[in-house]
Amino acid sequence: MDTLILSRIQFGANISFHILFPTITIALGWVLLFFKLRFNRTGEARWMDAYRFWVKVFALSFAMGVVSGITMSFQFGTNWPGFMEHVGNIAGPLLAYEILTAFFLEAAFLGIMLFGFSRVPGWLHTLATFLVAFGTTMSAFWILVLNSWMHTPAGFELRDGIAFATDWSAIIFNPSLPYRLSHTLISSGLTVAFLIAGLSALRWLWGDRSGEVRATLRFGAMLGALLIPAQIVVGDLHGLNTLEHQPAKVAAMEGNWETGGNVPLLLFAVPNEKTRSNDFEIGIPSGASVILKHKPEGVVPGLNDFVGENGEVLHPPVTPVFYAFRVMVGTGMAMLALSWLSLALMARRGQGTGSWAQTRRGVEGLPKLLLFAFVAMTFAGWIATLSGWYVTEIGRQPWLVTGVLTTEMAVADVPSGMVLSTLLVYLAVYGALTVAYIGVLTHLARKAAKGTLPPATPANPSPVAGSLHAAE
Amino acid sequence: MMTLFGDPAVWLPLTFAGLMGFSILVYVVLDGFDLGVGLLSPLATPEHRDRMIASIGPFWDANETWLVLAIGLLLVAFPQAHGMILSGLYLPVAIMLVGLILRGVAFEFRAKAPPGHKPAWDVAFFVGSLMTSLSQGFMLGMYITGLEWTLVAVIFSGLTAVFLTVGYSFIGATWLIYKTEGLLQLKSVEWARGGIWGLLGGVAAISIASPLASPRIFERWFDFPDSLFLAPLPLTFALIVGLVVLVLRRLPTGDDDFAILPFLATVILFTLAFAGLAYSFYPYVVPDRLTIYEAAAAPESLIIILVGAVIVIPVIIAYSTLAYTVFRGKATALSYD
Ligand code: HDD
Ligand code: HEM
Ligand code: HEM
């Protein structure tokens, strides 16, 4: 394999590993702030217990995000020197602002947030929690500005193939940013919602009946139910925006070869890039035309429009984009079904008289099967997020910056053997760390669940909280 | 506003080289002691190890961010040099990254994994710190010898790798003298007494080898009368080393006076050594190949970054100081409560 393809795989592997953790910390920071504020307001131990449990998950995820992020910042230089040479004048300031306004903020206040509880006044601890959450969101903002600019570049001029900034507000608020930013932030919220619901369901199944686990299971299900409709709407708008700016990507997502009207919405198909057609299709007639153009005879672009005069392919590889899109949307539909079903079941009236709020069944109303479903979906957010990014990023090929720079022009000329060997090391490390991460989350959940079971000392009303020490 | 200070094509690259140098120096000092603590960790008992790691727990993340800033500045201000340096150092960079990953996650995992796994994460913590320091030292050597993979360069870089590792252990030990008490403090003083000679040897080796490796550096340092102005640099260095050796003989004192002195003195030593290196290389960002003026990005973009940096860096320093103030004094067991 050549350096180009290996470098792409290496970059893809590194950033796929990286995004797993920021996508948790971005929303979890805000969720922790919410737990903290609930506790400040109600004084109920369950919110503090929830804070104490999830702040550990946050600390672990944050560390994973930081170390993998450091790898990212070296990747541009080691693998894609052409990137900075051609568009460094735009990418540079954006990355610099991310470091200056976000990384230092979150890193400096993280220490206070994690270990400062008994060292600083309560308000400062709450403020530190806020600043960390704010910092992670700022990180996401700046990096997504850059990424969106790579998809829909604006506000620059080319001189001798090098991009120079002409209008910073056009660069920052480039056409795809609003959609990408909101879709990604909501995806972070969904990832966290299902992570919280999943681990809480696991603890429930292990016999944990604490107020904390009831609160977090319900919280996760509700957050998921709230966000998923928004995500679907924003995703749809995002697709329309992409249709305008990167039609070839949408053609690959839809698996549509010929431009025309009445294009079906393919539920499943087997795209074949050799015959340039689908070997097998099941679809809803005119579905894609209706979604993208809001009428059955709406004309949807086809992949065959993106073939050069000498037959060179100018559209992205179809198969990965097509399937990744279906995985993302399928996961989204599963999230929709599970969260709303569980909400409906929890809202049913139970025995006894009294107002609905007093008699609704709550978490007790969830059948075991549904709890298993939550456990199975613990990491559903990761799956949807990764597949969404594969759609986006592979769908941009052969461009690195749409219309400005091809991926090929940016690659470093390091020997492919070197890229391959480092790639294998990274993959081994990432594989081991992902297993360790999931293992430790399970371990934390088991320990917390055990802490609430009978042999716990009755003198300590909240044994879960009592046992949570960082250095234990 | 751009021409206010003269030709922006001159002062902008210079300013950014200064900022980058500053971040590298801050990184080497701050993460230097974190890494040093990691390097010393296998020498301690499990209880002491917990305490040693607690002494850096609230800081290491922010400390490491200075590396991100330094690399970020190299990337954004001198894009061409960034590509040249990092693709030239592809392997050591990859080793350093794996080391940083291991070290960083081991912090969390050793505290949260099932107790039976803790020793394995302690090993990962040490190995990660070791890989990071060795590869950084190796990169320093390769940089000094001009990024050429010749046998001599590799041997020299192997030496700098060992010396930087000893240097980090030394600053780590001085940090522990400041942050710990009792038996652990006594041990740290012992570690520091040994480490100072390694540090001295390393600086001496680099000072002798760099002029030999590059005629240009030779000229810079031994060209009369310029060399007269440089004399205070090695002299101050020697003076401070002498002072540290003396202080280390007497520490720890009964009322713990002067416990922070070796650390502060070491910061000055690192700064002096760094200043010497910077003097050797100016105006090159890639030794003998690319000057900061040739490598700089477009002034329009640099200005945008500079405005942000001038506003934000003081704020960063302010809240970093806040964090160090909150966790000042002797390290205690870390807990989320
Ligand atoms: C929990 C995660 C999650 C869920 C449930 C969904 N998405 Fe998504 N999607 C993402 C997470 C995500 C993402 C990872 O965040 C992406 C990658 C880049 C981006 O902006 O968001 C993405 C990209 C992405 C794109 C590519 C845009 C482009 O770059 O050109 C489209 C068209 C959609 N999404 C549409 C949808 C639709 C119609 C969904 C309905 C169920 C949906 N997404 C659910
Ligand atoms: C975090 C979520 C992201 C994921 C999972 C992701 C995934 C990927 C994948 C799989 C590739 C390889 C595509 C291919 O070669 O076919 C890729 C390429 C790339 N992406 Fe992303 N990406 C993400 C975000 C970003 C961001 C935020 C940036 C920039 C700021 C970025 C910049 C790049 C670059 C420079 C390449 C390499 C060139 C290329 O192959 O096009 N990515 N990404
Ligand atoms: C090419 C792309 C990327 C680069 C170069 C990059 C770089 C980095 C670096 C260096 C860090 C460590 C910061 C520290 O020391 O505190 C980091 C952390 C982080 N990154 Fe990325 N990153 C990239 C993609 C992304 C994407 C796509 C997102 C989110 C949408 C993201 C969100 C974050 C967040 C929130 C953190 C904070 C640490 C954490 O929460 O784990 N990054 N990133």
Side-chain angles (χ1 to χ4, degrees):
Chain A
M1 282 203 272
D2 64 353
T3 301
L4 175 60
I5 188 81
L6 284 170
S7 294
R8 286 166 63 182
I9 297 175
Q10 190 179 82
F11 193 92
N14 280 335
I15 197 157
S16 299
F17 183 69
H18 179 57
I19 190 66
L20 297 181
F21 304 102
T23 196
I24 290 178
T25 53
I26 293 166
L28 192 51
W30 295 108
V31 168
L32 285 173
L33 184 65
F34 173 80
F35 289 166
K36 180 93 209 279
L37 292 175
R38 288 295 292 187
F39 172 73
N40 286 357
R41 169 167 301 194
T42 63
E44 289 169 1
R46 56 185 180 144
W47 294 114
M48 203 58 217
D49 293 346
Y51 184 91
R52 293 231 171 89
F53 180 83
W54 287 98
V55 81
K56 289 181 161 185
V57 176
F58 183 84
L60 184 61
S61 314
F62 201 94
M64 302 277 277
V66 167
V67 295
S68 56
I70 290 184
T71 316
M72 293 312 311
S73 50
F74 281 85
Q75 285 267 301
F76 282 116
T78 49
N79 293 19
W80 308 107
F83 181 72
M84 289 311 281
E85 272 164 35
H86 290 274
V87 297
N89 290 326
I90 311 246
L94 297 176
L95 289 169
Y97 272 80
E98 175 174 17
I99 299 171
L100 289 171
T101 61
F103 289 165
F104 276 105
L105 191 67
E106 56 197 29
F109 284 99
L110 182 72
I112 299 181
M113 170 181 173
L114 295 183
F115 308 118
F117 190 73
S118 56
R119 283 182 172 251
V120 297
W123 64 266
L124 183 53
H125 185 256
T126 307
L127 180 69
T129 308
F130 166 77
L131 287 174
V132 170
F134 180 72
T136 53
T137 309
M138 286 300 282
S139 283
F141 172 78
W142 286 115
I143 198 75
L144 289 174
V145 167
L146 172 55
N147 182 265
S148 299
W149 184 84
M150 289 164 59
H151 286 274
T152 53
F156 69 104
E157 62 185 22
L158 281 179
R159 289 183 229 147
D160 299 330
I162 303 213
F164 287 84
T166 52
D167 178 355
W168 278 101
S169 75
I171 292 173
I172 294 177
F173 301 101
N174 64 75
S176 64
L177 174 78
Y179 305 98
R180 188 163 287 106
L181 180 64
S182 21
H183 200 61
T184 306
L185 290 182
I186 301 175
S187 85
S188 172
L190 283 166
T191 307
V192 167
F194 281 87
L195 180 70
I196 291 181
L199 277 194
S200 306
L202 192 63
R203 283 172 62 175
W204 185 274
L205 288 168
W206 278 334
D208 188 341
R209 294 291 178 274
S210 59
E212 175 208 347
V213 87
R214 277 168 213 271
T216 51
L217 181 49
R218 207 157 48 122
F219 175 82
M222 281 172 62
L223 184 65
L226 203 73
L227 289 179
I228 186 69
Q231 182 71 333
I232 294 173
V233 172
V234 174
D236 182 45
L237 294 174
H238 196 351
L240 293 178
N241 178 266
T242 308
L243 179 64
E244 194 182 327
H245 296 277
Q246 297 170 295
K249 190 196 282 184
V250 174
M253 277 162 24
E254 300 297 346
N256 184 34
W257 296 93
E258 278 305 332
T259 304
N262 297 90
V263 174
L265 178 65
L266 299 180
L267 299 178
F268 186 77
V270 182
N272 185 331
E273 303 204 27
K274 289 219 179 63
T275 62
R276 302 194 63 79
S277 62
N278 296 331
D279 289 347
F280 173 82
E281 295 186 356
I282 328 176
I284 303 170
S286 303
S289 290
V290 171
I291 289 181
L292 293 167
K293 294 288 177 175
H294 305 294
K295 51 179 190 248
E297 61 286 355
V299 174
V300 174
L303 291 159
N304 288 338
D305 285 6
F306 304 93
V307 178
E309 296 191 342
N310 308 320
E312 70 273 26
V313 176
L314 301 176
H315 60 72
V318 183
T319 310
V321 176
F322 181 84
Y323 286 120
F325 185 67
R326 270 141 198 83
V327 171
M328 167 177 62
V329 175
T331 314
M333 294 303 159
M335 287 177 166
L336 184 71
L338 181 60
S339 57
W340 281 94
L341 183 62
S342 68
L343 239 54
L345 291 175
M346 282 195 282
R348 280 178 306 165
R349 260 177 186 280
Q351 263 109 42
T353 50
S355 72
W356 171 76
Q358 286 162 338
T359 62
R360 68 180 164 189
R361 297 203 193 173
V363 179
E364 310 275 358
L366 296 179
K368 219 170 182 170
L369 198 67
L370 211 81
L371 290 166
F372 277 120
F374 269 120
V375 175
M377 297 265 292
T378 307
F379 294 101
W382 275 3
I383 295 173
T385 302
L386 282 183
S387 32
W389 277 106
Y390 293 158
V391 175
T392 299
E393 299 287 289
I394 300 176
R396 189 187 56 218
Q397 304 301 318
W399 297 105
L400 178 52
V401 179
T402 309
V404 176
L405 180 69
T406 61
T407 312
E408 214 175 336
M409 281 162 68
V411 73
D413 64 348
V414 276
S416 63
M418 209 130 91
V419 186
L420 181 63
S421 49
T422 51
L423 172 63
L424 293 177
V425 173
Y426 284 131
L427 286 179
V429 172
Y430 292 161
L433 287 182
T434 311
V435 170
Y437 177 83
I438 296 177
V440 167
L441 291 199
T442 321
H443 168 72
L444 289 177
R446 185 189 301 273
K447 209 169 58 170
K450 269 207 192 123
T452 66
L453 295 182
T457 37
N460 186 345
S462 171
V464 183
S467 66
L468 296 191
H469 289 278
E472 64 204 5
Chain B
M1 108 134 208
M2 274 174 55
T3 47
L4 193 66
F5 306 102
D7 184 2
V10 173
W11 65 264
L12 267 176
L14 200 60
T15 311
F16 273 89
L19 274 177
M20 192 172 82
F22 175 72
S23 334
I24 296 179
L25 178 62
V26 175
Y27 170 76
V28 167
V29 166
L30 295 183
D31 210 28
F33 74 68
D34 294 340
L35 289 166
V37 170
L39 292 165
L40 296 169
S41 66
L43 302 177
T45 60
E47 298 76 47
H48 280 168
R49 192 175 308 132
D50 284 348
R51 190 50 59 95
M52 286 164 70
I53 292 176
S55 80
I56 54 178
F59 313 115
W60 71 274
D61 182 3
N63 294 350
E64 205 174 82
T65 308
W66 289 95
L67 175 66
V68 179
L69 180 61
I71 283 300
L73 285 172
L74 178 64
L75 176 77
V76 303
F78 309 106
Q80 249 185 311
H82 180 265
M84 252 191 211
I85 295 175
L86 291 189
S87 29
L89 297 174
Y90 199 90
L91 276 185
V93 166
I95 296 173
M96 175 185 77
L97 291 175
V98 172
L100 283 172
I101 291 176
L102 285 182
R103 191 267 308 237
V105 300
F107 266 103
E108 293 295 328
F109 278 120
R110 67 185 293 284
K112 296 185 179 64
H117 297 183
K118 191 169 170 180
W121 288 112
D122 281 343
V123 173
F125 184 64
F126 167 68
V127 171
S129 306
L130 185 66
M131 283 167 77
T132 308
S133 339
L134 284 177
S135 46
Q136 285 179 358
F138 189 85
M139 288 190 264
L140 174 67
M142 290 300 289
Y143 184 82
I144 291 176
T145 49
L147 298 173
E148 302 284 353
W149 284 80
T150 60
L151 185 65
V152 180
V154 170
I155 294 174
F156 175 71
S157 307
L159 269 181
T160 50
V162 173
F163 281 126
L164 189 72
T165 305
V166 177
Y168 281 167
S169 314
F170 176 69
I171 195 171
T174 60
W175 171 257
L176 289 173
I177 296 176
Y178 162 52
K179 291 297 273 186
T180 64
E181 49 206 340
L183 211 55
L184 181 53
Q185 193 185 32
L186 251 133
K187 252 194 217 163
S188 312
V189 173
E190 257 167 51
W191 291 331
R193 281 182 196 149
I196 182 98
W197 300 114
L199 178 72
L200 200 60
V203 173
I206 293 180
S207 314
I208 296 169
S210 327
L212 295 182
S214 155
R216 192 183 45 77
I217 297 182
F218 187 90
E219 248 170 57
R220 295 222 89 177
W221 282 88
F222 299 104
D223 199 21
F224 199 78
D226 288 10
S227 50
L228 277 188
F229 296 105
L230 293 170
L233 206 70
L235 285 184
T236 323
F237 194 91
L239 209 73
I240 295 181
V241 169
L243 182 80
V244 173
V245 170
L246 276 185
V247 172
L248 282 178
R249 278 213 197 127
R250 313 207 151 219
L251 282 180
T253 56
D255 45 8
D256 210 35
D257 284 341
F258 307 114
I260 199 177
L261 204 75
F263 177 69
L264 292 182
T266 311
V267 173
I268 300 178
L269 290 181
F270 273 52
T271 312
L272 290 175
F274 190 82
L277 276 178
Y279 178 75
S280 299
F281 287 106
Y282 175 82
Y284 287 96
V285 56
V286 183
D288 296 329
R289 274 194 263 173
L290 199 63
T291 67
I292 52 175
Y293 305 105
E294 296 159 350
E300 299 90 311
S301 296
L302 288 183
I303 278 284
I304 297 264
I305 304 173
L306 188 61
V307 171
V310 165
I311 299 172
V312 178
I313 289 185
V315 181
I316 293 176
I317 293 177
Y319 56 61
S320 305
T321 312
L322 172 71
Y324 275 89
T325 316
V326 167
F327 297 100
R328 70 185 173 278
K330 299 292 174 192
T332 51
L334 285 183
S335 105
Y336 288 160
D337 307 300

